[in-house]
Amino acid sequence: MNVIILFMEGNFDLVIFGGTGDLALRKLYPALFLADCDDRLHAGGRIIAAARQTLDNDAFRAKVAEALQRFVPKVTGAAQEMQAKRDASLSRFLARLTYFILDANDATQYQALKRSLDERDSQTIFYLSVGPTLFPAIIGGLKASGLNTPDTRIVLEKPLGRDLTSSRQINSLVLEAFAESQVYRIDHYLGKETVQNLLALRFGNTLLEPLWNRSWVRDVQITIAETVGVETRGEFYDSTGAFRDMVQNHLLNLLCITAMEPPASLDPDAVRDEKLQVLRAMKPWTAETLRESLVRGQYRAGSMGGSRVASYLDEQGVAVNSPTETYVALRAEVSNWRWAGVPFYLRTGKRMAERRAEVVINFKSPPHSIFETPLAPNRLVITLQPEESVRLYTMAKAPGDGMRLREVYLDLDFQQFFRERRQDAYERLLLDVLRGNATLFMRRDEADAAWRWVQPVLDHWASESTPPIGYAAGSWGPPASSRLTALAGTAWHEEQSV
Ligand code: BG6
């Protein structure tokens, strides 16, 4: 019998700064709504959107209802019962929402916000779903009005700064008003189901651990490929680039979960201490590795799903001759006892051939072959999206005469085993904030160590006059990224596939 344990969270006031923004409408309200449909939110929980736009509660609720219609994944097939539950939950969810007009830069308005939150026995959470330029004003306003009491929590969206210096400034500022234990730095990749499955796979089984090291692993590849371009975010993206947008946070977090030592428990600090050790062991960049182990690209016009798409330089909000990268591939190394000498290849890009996020562990080749067929090394492929799966590629005998071997895979398809609805990453992380579990959030020292490792790359590119290498939209990036893996006698996963 399957026993599903639902944790009902305590009573709460969740204040979302930037409450009418893109992230809130696309991700936060849909995630909270789905949690509410599953009866995971306390009956008295309130969601207060704070933003500058002049709206009343009704107009705001109508806006959210429209966003839910667009962004909550549709129920398909046999799950009509679930749809009925959603329809029934909608009015309850909308009734939780209130709208508070607030100019974040006007310090006097936070007193009024305080009055509207006072006298409730509930957990208060401030979610800063705004650009980092507004962080100082909001944190200052919360502090000056005394809203930063020790039992509140604050959630910070990325990007947390543009470089090591600005991220340190933001962290110092936050920590002048809140204790570290109150701060939740969100990286939604850590909330994805398969990322946690990676923890389960590694630490809930004995099978892999003896192989999970430099003796048996040839290289590790972590890819987050997207088919989308910069869409409506041209201006933001052009001042950010793929390295800050994806490598500094999502890819490094995936690397940490893949490479870390077994923590003593799932206690937030036990996990984060181990992740930190990985970041501290990252081999520093040198003039040579900056030249040889790093590829930056920018998409040109091309074809996606049969339609022509524009070049990055023709996207709205992008500067003329912009040097911003939309693609990065790099070779890193974790210099410790377990991993020394094993290349960790990381790559990410917009307008790539496929939407795919995966961690690939390439094992070493057998030391000697008794077969005529060349042996492909074993590969463990952990796919986060578009679908969640774990595949172990192995050699098997092809039917027929002789001993011809072919690569086949053992497939662990989570859709097949688990019928339950998957929580969206934001849904899981928001529930974690409500219950005060910081395991899947970045601690200050982790964020700092990640920026420290990426800073030389930012400096290198800032001093370079060579533009990023162009690649056709719809491709797997510039050919230079294949040369990066070829140098070590390996190839990207899609280039090795059976
Ligand atoms: C965000 C980046 O953090 O992650 C976006 O800012 C990117 O540029 C997105 O598209 C990818 O997330 P997901 O969950 O769609 O893979």
Side-chain angles (χ1 to χ4, degrees):
M1 187 180 69
N2 284 333
V3 180
I4 301 171
I5 302 167
L6 294 182
F7 298 95
M8 166 71 80
E9 318 308 337
N11 204 0
F12 65 90
D13 280 340
L14 170 61
V15 182
I16 303 179
F17 293 94
T20 51
D22 194 57
L23 178 78
L25 295 170
R26 259 175 205 275
K27 296 284 184 188
L28 304 185
Y29 302 123
L32 289 161
F33 171 63
L34 288 174
D36 203 9
C37 293
D38 280 355
D39 299 321
R40 302 290 297 271
L41 302 185
H42 190 282
R46 295 193 305 183
I47 300 163
I48 300 118
R52 217 164 39 171
Q53 215 176 328
T54 311
L55 288 177
D56 60 19
N57 283 340
D58 286 343
F60 171 64
R61 287 176 185 147
K63 200 177 177 72
V64 174
E66 194 192 308
L68 297 179
Q69 188 66 27
R70 280 183 67 197
F71 300 120
V72 172
K74 299 281 173 282
V75 172
T76 50
Q80 285 319 316
E81 215 179 286
M82 194 191 276
Q83 185 60 52
K85 182 109 204 263
R86 285 191 188 176
D87 294 343
S89 307
L90 183 62
S91 52
R92 172 176 73 178
F93 179 73
L94 293 177
R96 294 178 183 281
L97 304 175
T98 52
Y99 188 74
F100 189 90
I101 300 174
L102 178 121
D103 176 354
N105 287 313
D106 183 348
T108 59
Q109 298 188 7
Y110 291 81
Q111 281 300 343
L113 177 64
K114 183 165 191 267
R115 280 193 296 278
S116 77
L117 296 174
D118 266 353
E119 289 163 31
R120 266 179 42 103
D121 180 20
S122 58
Q123 171 73 56
T124 304
I125 293 146
F126 302 109
Y127 196 123
L128 273 54
S129 175
V130 294
T133 47
L134 279 179
F135 284 8
I138 297 176
I139 293 165
L142 294 174
K143 192 173 165 199
S145 60
L147 272 165
N148 59 331
T149 56
D151 55 353
T152 56
R153 295 177 191 143
I154 181 163
V155 185
L156 304 176
E157 260 300 333
K158 69 176 259 286
L160 272 184
R162 305 187 34 77
D163 52 21
L164 182 59
T165 311
S166 54
S167 83
R168 283 185 172 162
Q169 281 163 353
I170 291 175
N171 279 320
S172 304
L173 183 81
V174 180
L175 295 174
E176 279 167 23
F178 296 88
E180 174 62 31
S181 58
Q182 295 174 268
V183 183
Y184 290 71
R185 296 175 191 81
I186 208 162
D187 177 336
H188 78 280
Y189 262 71
L190 288 176
K192 289 189 189 264
E193 188 78 11
T194 321
V195 175
Q196 287 157 79
N197 243 319
L198 190 52
L199 289 172
L201 194 69
R202 286 199 58 200
F203 306 128
N205 299 285
T206 50
L207 191 68
L208 291 170
E209 177 55 21
L211 307 177
W212 210 261
N213 56 53
R214 64 194 301 273
S215 304
W216 294 101
V217 174
R218 189 187 64 189
D219 62 86
V220 177
Q221 303 181 358
I222 307 181
T223 297
I224 306 179
E226 298 184 275
T227 49
V228 289
V230 293
E231 306 193 293
T232 51
R233 299 157 78 217
E235 211 173 309
F236 159 79
Y237 194 87
D238 205 37
S239 64
T240 306
F243 199 72
R244 289 186 178 94
D245 192 37
M246 303 293 284
V247 180
Q248 189 275 335
N249 33 67
H250 304 328
L251 279 162
L252 281 184
N253 267 316
L254 292 180
L255 183 149
C256 286
I257 302 275
T258 308
M260 74 186 197
E261 293 301 314
S265 70
L266 273 186
D267 178 72
D269 282 333
V271 173
R272 297 185 299 177
D273 286 347
E274 294 305 340
K275 287 175 65 207
L276 178 63
Q277 290 310 322
V278 176
L279 291 167
R280 288 193 172 148
M282 299 288 292
K283 197 170 193 167
W285 292 95
T286 62
E288 189 195 342
T289 54
L290 285 168
R291 210 174 43 243
E292 307 291 340
S293 304
L294 188 61
V295 176
R296 65 169 174 162
Q298 191 185 69
Y299 64 81
R300 302 282 176 257
S303 169
M304 306 279 314
S307 315
R308 292 295 293 167
V309 295
S311 167
Y312 176 71
L313 292 175
D314 294 328
E315 301 276 17
Q316 216 174 3
V318 170
V320 180
N321 293 329
S322 164
T324 300
E325 76 287 352
T326 60
Y327 176 94
V328 180
L330 62 89
R331 177 194 154 124
E333 204 180 308
V334 180
S335 299
N336 63 14
W337 196 268
R338 187 187 283 264
W339 294 115
V342 177
F344 279 75
Y345 295 103
L346 310 186
R347 75 180 159 160
T348 185
K350 299 256 184 221
R351 290 284 190 228
M352 305 276 287
E354 274 175 41
R355 175 171 184 251
R356 190 195 285 178
E358 66 187 11
V359 176
V360 179
I361 313 290
N362 278 314
F363 292 95
K364 291 191 172 168
S365 300
H368 167 71
S369 175
I370 57 170
F371 306 104
E372 281 180 14
T373 335
L375 300 179
N378 295 136
R379 251 178 303 156
L380 182 71
V381 180
I382 300 146
T383 307
L384 282 69
Q385 50 198 35
E387 79 289 340
E388 296 162 36
S389 68
V390 176
R391 280 183 180 172
L392 179 64
Y393 287 73
T394 56
M395 296 304 290
K397 181 189 168 299
D401 287 344
M403 277 300 271
R404 281 180 307 108
L405 268 60
R406 234 177 38 211
E407 197 180 34
V408 291
Y409 51 78
L410 301 166
D411 201 353
L412 180 58
D413 176 347
F414 292 115
Q415 273 56 244
Q416 209 184 330
F417 280 96
F418 302 114
R419 300 274 170 209
E420 294 90 341
R421 178 181 72 79
R422 299 295 187 290
Q423 278 181 339
D424 167 76
Y426 272 99
E427 184 181 348
R428 168 172 303 108
L429 294 173
L430 279 162
L431 289 172
D432 278 355
V433 178
L434 292 183
R435 72 171 82 101
N437 180 352
T439 305
L440 297 174
F441 295 81
M442 301 278 286
R443 212 168 51 191
R444 180 194 190 162
D445 47 6
E446 275 183 89
D448 204 65
W451 277 114
R452 228 175 313 130
W453 185 73
V454 307
Q455 188 62 47
V457 175
L458 301 176
D459 295 342
H460 173 64
W461 284 342
S463 68
E464 233 196 9
S465 50
T466 332
I469 311 167
Y471 62 95
S475 71
W476 276 104
S481 74
S482 300
R483 284 201 292 278
L484 189 68
T485 46
L487 273 178
T490 181
W492 292 106
H493 176 204
E494 75 280 355
E495 296 167 348
Q496 318 169 359
S497 286
V498 265

